[in-house]
Amino acid sequence: MKKKTEAQGDFVQVEKTQNKQEVKKAKKKDKKPGFFKRMGAKIKDVFSELKKVNWPTFGKVVKQTGVVIVVVLIFLVVITAFDYGLLNLLKLISPNIR
């Protein structure tokens, strides 16, 4: 009977070893890829998304840039006029200001 127990014990030991190997293989599959592989995949995704972008034409960009410059200049004039008016009002209230 003792031999059977040892044989069964050996069999169980071999089975545990196989299970450990299977667990190690499963852990390797579950492990996330390395840093450089992840960065390479991210860069590849960025370039694939950039191909899908609908880029504006040169003429459209120039027109939109002109609109932005005009709006900025208008706000510049309005804020300067407002500042000049407040400065003159402050000079009326307090004559010590240059």
Side-chain angles (χ1 to χ4, degrees):
M1 289 231 146
K2 193 172 186 181
K3 288 183 180 179
K4 285 183 182 178
T5 312
E6 290 175 5
Q8 287 176 353
D10 290 341
F11 178 72
V12 171
Q13 187 69 23
V14 170
E15 188 176 311
K16 285 182 181 177
T17 306
Q18 288 176 349
N19 284 340
K20 286 181 183 178
Q21 290 173 351
E22 290 173 6
V23 168
K24 285 181 182 179
K25 286 180 183 178
K27 283 184 180 179
K28 284 184 180 179
K29 288 180 183 177
D30 292 341
K31 205 174 198 180
K32 63 182 179 181
F35 175 76
F36 291 107
K37 278 192 174 184
R38 287 184 288 158
M39 290 305 296
K42 184 64 75 174
I43 291 170
K44 186 177 177 182
D45 289 343
V46 168
F47 280 110
S48 68
E49 287 296 322
L50 284 175
K51 289 179 184 176
K52 297 177 187 177
V53 173
N54 187 11
W55 296 101
T57 62
F58 181 75
K60 201 172 194 179
V61 170
V62 170
K63 285 180 185 177
Q64 291 176 347
T65 303
V67 169
V68 169
I69 290 172
V70 168
V71 169
V72 167
L73 290 175
I74 290 170
F75 273 98
L76 175 75
V77 169
V78 169
I79 291 174
T80 303
F82 190 70
D83 184 48
Y84 182 74
L86 288 177
L87 181 64
N88 285 335
L89 184 65
L90 190 62
K91 283 182 182 178
L92 286 174
I93 296 171
S94 176
N96 296 336
I97 296 177
R98 294 182 186 178

